[in-house]
């Protein structure tokens, strides 16, 4: 009676699970959410998604339920845009992790309830578990495409802290309060936040290398680093700080501030100084330095130290509030400043972004040129660049200072002032001055506007010689006033090539920096990463060492055996016939094939699955049977015979060692009904049947093969039939072995090319097998 009640209870639980799945699937209908029919095409799905996404996007729709609706629309599009997920939903009505489970699969989890009541986590993985996830994590959820296309490129400007979680993860619930607190703090400082649900984004979790939940990792410069300490607020903060490079912010004092600020000419960047009384550099300042490292150089002044009194006095710094100064071309006076208690990220970003460039920056590379002189987007967003083509040295310093004073007095959004060295940017100079610089020792002035990203510009030479006099300034000012009213004044047109990168290091330094960066990553991985993350690198190192030492050892044994074979004893003098045979063999073996190279790989247990069992449909692997003694000669002749067929992408060529895999070959030949034995056979205690020279055409997908048997040579045909039935003497075998050299072996593959033609025609007999045997 108890047994019957237990079975009834099990069936009731199964019915309850199925009912919950059906109700959950009915509650979430992606077709209903997007407002389309089940027969809608991908174009209709995409069109409906774009319309609803614009309507319910939280940035545009302030309705309290807009965010939830937008998430539903995105989830519906994710399912219907993927043909596999759409098919699973249409078939099973399941959008969760266990798509495609049939009723029989679910019943399988009740394994013999009369023996033991068995269940596992996947059985109780109800679809509504996803609804119970913390709503605070919803806006941070990452998908694989979003991670690759947005997070990785953005990680070169700010670090990302990513949590890997899943359903039924009690440890994830335990760390949730600390995670929320850290996210709220670090996101305000400029750290990117991400959450990956391992159940729904298995591909992304595998790509990140997360093998358990919960896991926390950081991404910076496209590199992934795992967090291995206790999940505490301070530990996570220190982890994010450790991701940042150590040379972002220089420590500045009275001894080095002049040198630091004077580097603007060499680096072609503004320099930023932060004054504060905290001994360590604040994390928000490090994050800002990392975000703008390509545009500015950053320094930190600790006001609590005595060696910073001179610099704080010179710039009249308030000791009781953090102060940020930006210096451009003049180091005695800051170009801009901001001072506030509890400085916020938004304030710092606005302040830095408006001072990213010098007043008259030098065109040192193409990227800087594109940012200083952007392509016009409309008539109201024109950007004109006033370019001073000058030289280097003290002789041109006075002209540059006059140009700089004019630029500082005319700071308007529509005009940017830049300079370029004639010698360093020869192509730009030649394009603007009409191919020939008539006054190479004199500065010139031009105004240009970029029309497209391909390099097309319109320009006008304002002065062939511009020395910065008051008259020159008046002419330039008048031209700019007229240009704002009449853009057609830029009458000349040309196409510019990319500018030279003046700050790029030489080849040796680039190689050195790359090598140092690589070794630093390896060293950091050895110190901080776990062994599972290090397994690919360790496997690569040990494989390389094994191949290297294995090659040396094999070569050493090969050389020693060759030396022993090359010194015959006095008692064994070879006959004239043997000498001639050996001479012919050496000539044949050293002769380079007249035909081209054929790639032939050995079929082993390592590549057996990929080269045969899982071979793509329509592909055939042509396998030559060789032994250690006949390998060189047969492969040489094999390459000559099949070379004309290497143009076919469906043919692959391999060879199989008979001495290692004889049992596998004889198993296949049992299915070849016409595979007659060769002309003679030795005694079973002396030699086994010789299959060298056989060729098998193996179709891994359809499980059949075609057979080419080695051709009988003239010497074999002359062997008396009596020898087949009687054991051979030692002298007879020795003579036969000496008489069959490399030429005799190669004749086994006669007519192989004709057999290959019949193989491609499909006229060869096919021998089918039930399954491919293992290659041990």
């Amino acid at each position: 009676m108890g047994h019957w009640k237990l079975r009834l209870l099990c069936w009731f639980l199964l019915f309850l699970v199925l009912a919950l799945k059906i109700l959950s699937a009915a509650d979430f209908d992606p077709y209903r959410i997007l407002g389309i029919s089940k027969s809608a095409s991908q174009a209709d799905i995409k069109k409906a998604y774009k319309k609803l996404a614009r309507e319910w996007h939280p940035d545009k729709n302030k309705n309290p339920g807009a965010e939830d609706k937008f998430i539903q629309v995105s989830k519906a599009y994710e399912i219907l845009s993927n043909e596999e997920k759409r098919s699973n939903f249409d078939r099973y009505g399941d959008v969760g992790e266990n798509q495609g489970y049939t009723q029989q699969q679910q019943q399988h989890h009740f394994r013999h309830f009369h023996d033991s009541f068995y269940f596992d986590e996947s059985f109780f993985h109800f679809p509504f578990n996803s609804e119970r996830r913390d709503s605070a994590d919803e806006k941070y959820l990452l998908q694989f495409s979003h991670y690759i296309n947005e997070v990785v490129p953005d990680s070169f400007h700010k670090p990302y802290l990513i949590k890997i979680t899943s359903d039924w993860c009690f440890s994830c619930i335990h760390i949730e309060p600390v995670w929320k607190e850290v996210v709220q703090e670090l996101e305000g400082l400029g750290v990117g936040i991400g959450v990956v649900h391992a159940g729904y984004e298995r591909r992304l979790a595998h790509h990140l290398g997360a093998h358990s939940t919960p896991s926390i990792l950081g991404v910076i410069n496209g590199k992934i680093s795992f967090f291995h300490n206790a999940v505490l607020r301070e530990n996570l903060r220190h982890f994010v700080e450790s991701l940042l490079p150590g040379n972002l912010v220089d420590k500045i004092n009275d001894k080095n501030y002049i040198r630091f600020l004077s580097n603007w000419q060499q680096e072609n960047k503004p320099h930023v100084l932060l004054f504060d009384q905290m001994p360590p550099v604040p994390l928000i300042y490090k994050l800002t330095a990392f975000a703008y490292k390509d545009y500015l150089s950053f320094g930190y002044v600790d006001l609590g130290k005595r060696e910073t009194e001179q610099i704080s006095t010179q710039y009249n710094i308030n000791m009781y509030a953090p102060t940020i100064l930006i210096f451009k071309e003049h180091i005695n006076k800051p170009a801009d400043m901001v001072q506030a208690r509890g400085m916020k990220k938004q304030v710092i970003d606005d302040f830095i972004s408006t001072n990213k460039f010098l007043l008259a920056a030098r065109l040192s590379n193409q990227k800087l040129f594109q940012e200083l002189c952007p392509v016009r987007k409309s008539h109201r967003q024109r950007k004109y660049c006033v370019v001073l083509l000058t030289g280097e040295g003290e002789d041109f310093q006075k002209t540059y200072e006059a140009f700089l004073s004019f630029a500082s007095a005319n700071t308007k959004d529509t005009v940017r002032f830049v300079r370029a060295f004639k010698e360093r940017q020869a192509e730009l100079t030649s394009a603007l001055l009409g191919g020939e610089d008539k006054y190479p020792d004199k500065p010139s002035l031009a105004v240009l506007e970029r029309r497209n990203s391909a390099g097309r510009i319109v320009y006008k030479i304002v002065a062939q010689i511009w020395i910065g006099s008051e008259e020159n300034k008046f002419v330039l000012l008048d031209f700019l006033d007229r240009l704002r009213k009449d853009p057609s004044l830029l009458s000349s047109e040309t196409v510019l090539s990319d500018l030279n990168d003046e700050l790029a290091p030489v080849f040796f330094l680039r190689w050195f920096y790359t090598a140092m960066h690589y070794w630093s990553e390896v060293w950091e991985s050895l110190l901080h990463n776990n062994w599972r993350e290090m397994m690919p690198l360790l496997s690569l190192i040990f494989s390389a060492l094994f191949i290297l030492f294995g090659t040396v050892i094999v070569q050493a044994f090969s050389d020693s055996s060759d030396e022993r074979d090359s010194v015959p004893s006095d008692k064994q003098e070879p006959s004239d016939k043997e000498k001639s045979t050996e001479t012919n063999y050496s000539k044949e073996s050293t002769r380079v094939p007249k035909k081209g190279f054929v790639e032939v790989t050995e079929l082993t247990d390592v590549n057996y699955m990929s080269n045969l069992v899982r071979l793509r449909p329509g592909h055939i692997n042509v396998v030559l049977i060789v032994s250690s003694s006949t390998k060189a000669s047969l492969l040489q002749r094999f390459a000559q015979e099949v070379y004309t067929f290497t143009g076919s992408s469906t043919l692959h060529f391999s060879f199989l060692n008979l001495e290692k895999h004889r049992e596998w070959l004889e198993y296949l030949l049992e299915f070849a009904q016409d595979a007659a034995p060769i002309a003679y056979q030795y005694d079973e205690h002396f030699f086994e049947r010789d299959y060298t020279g056989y060729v098998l055409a193996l179709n891994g997908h359809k499980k059949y093969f075609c057979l080419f048997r080695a051709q009988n040579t003239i010497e074999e045909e002359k062997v008396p039939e009596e020898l087949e039935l009687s054991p051979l003497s030692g002298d007879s075998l020795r003579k036969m072995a000496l008489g069959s050299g490399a030429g005799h072996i190669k004749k086994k593959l006669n007519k192989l090319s004709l057999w290959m033609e019949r193989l491609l025609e499909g006229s060869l007999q096919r021998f089918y097998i039930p399954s491919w045997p293992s290659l041990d």
Side-chain angles (χ1 to χ4, degrees), residues 81 298 535:
S81 61
F298 292 81
M535 282 305 295

PDB file of all heavy atoms in Angstrom, residues 81 298 535:
ATOM      1  N   SER A  81      14.843  36.092 -32.805  1.00  0.00           N
ATOM      2  CA  SER A  81      15.890  36.357 -33.802  1.00  0.00           C
ATOM      3  C   SER A  81      16.847  35.190 -33.935  1.00  0.00           C
ATOM      4  O   SER A  81      17.594  35.098 -34.899  1.00  0.00           O
ATOM      5  CB  SER A  81      16.665  37.625 -33.421  1.00  0.00           C
ATOM      6  OG  SER A  81      17.291  37.463 -32.162  1.00  0.00           O
ATOM      7  N   PHE A 298      49.067  63.138 -16.148  1.00  0.00           N
ATOM      8  CA  PHE A 298      48.515  63.436 -14.828  1.00  0.00           C
ATOM      9  C   PHE A 298      49.603  63.347 -13.764  1.00  0.00           C
ATOM     10  O   PHE A 298      50.460  62.459 -13.806  1.00  0.00           O
ATOM     11  CB  PHE A 298      47.390  62.446 -14.490  1.00  0.00           C
ATOM     12  CG  PHE A 298      46.163  62.608 -15.348  1.00  0.00           C
ATOM     13  CD1 PHE A 298      46.106  62.053 -16.615  1.00  0.00           C
ATOM     14  CD2 PHE A 298      45.076  63.336 -14.887  1.00  0.00           C
ATOM     15  CE1 PHE A 298      44.983  62.202 -17.406  1.00  0.00           C
ATOM     16  CE2 PHE A 298      43.949  63.489 -15.672  1.00  0.00           C
ATOM     17  CZ  PHE A 298      43.899  62.931 -16.935  1.00  0.00           C
ATOM     18  N   MET A 535      46.303  26.338 -17.444  1.00  0.00           N
ATOM     19  CA  MET A 535      46.492  25.070 -18.131  1.00  0.00           C
ATOM     20  C   MET A 535      46.798  25.225 -19.622  1.00  0.00           C
ATOM     21  O   MET A 535      47.680  24.541 -20.154  1.00  0.00           O
ATOM     22  CB  MET A 535      45.268  24.179 -17.930  1.00  0.00           C
ATOM     23  CG  MET A 535      45.232  23.511 -16.563  1.00  0.00           C
ATOM     24  SD  MET A 535      46.729  22.575 -16.195  1.00  0.00           S
ATOM     25  CE  MET A 535      46.617  21.290 -17.437  1.00  0.00           C
TER      26      MET A 535
END
